Amino acid sequence: MNSVVLVGRLTANPEARTAGETTIARFSVAVDRGDGKDTTDFPNVVCFGKVADAVVKYLNKGRLVAIHGRIQTGSYTNKEGKKVYTTEVAADVVKFLDSKKQ
């Protein structure tokens, strides 16, 4: 089973683009590991469609969110011809956990 749940704060405003008529949003979140050592991870998150539309419209840097999705991996060849491997969370659900900052 490939299932991920994260709670954290956006590290920057989401970046959006479209593929055909589908919105794709990308952002990263700061997530405390909870190990008692103040260790933080910064996973990249991608979402699509209506979820992406809401993320782009309502979220910005610093907002607290809960994310449910799955890990997805990929690869591409960079300008130097080297293969680069990627890992990100593909979010099915993004819940807003705080009110919009003034």
Side-chain angles (χ1 to χ4, degrees):
M1 177 182 292
N2 183 350
S3 183
V4 175
V5 176
L6 300 170
V7 175
R9 293 194 180 274
L10 272 70
T11 62
N13 293 339
E15 295 180 8
R17 67 180 182 88
T18 57
E21 295 184 19
T22 303
T23 303
I24 301 169
R26 293 183 179 278
F27 57 96
S28 66
V29 290
V31 179
D32 180 20
R33 284 191 190 177
D35 60 4
K37 299 179 184 177
D38 291 332
T39 307
T40 305
D41 291 306
F42 300 93
N44 293 317
V45 180
V46 62
C47 51
F48 305 91
K50 291 181 180 182
V51 174
D53 290 335
V55 162
V56 170
K57 185 173 181 178
Y58 297 110
L59 292 181
N60 51 30
K61 181 179 179 178
R63 293 290 305 273
L64 184 65
V65 294
I67 297 163
H68 181 262
R70 66 191 182 285
I71 297 287
Q72 73 182 21
T73 60
S75 64
Y76 65 92
T77 303
N78 68 13
K79 293 177 184 176
E80 291 79 36
K82 293 190 178 192
K83 195 163 197 169
V84 177
Y85 295 93
T86 62
T87 302
E88 62 191 358
V89 175
D92 298 316
V93 176
V94 178
K95 291 198 173 227
F96 309 165
L97 299 180
D98 60 1
S99 61
K100 189 171 183 175
K101 293 185 178 187
Q102 301 301 326

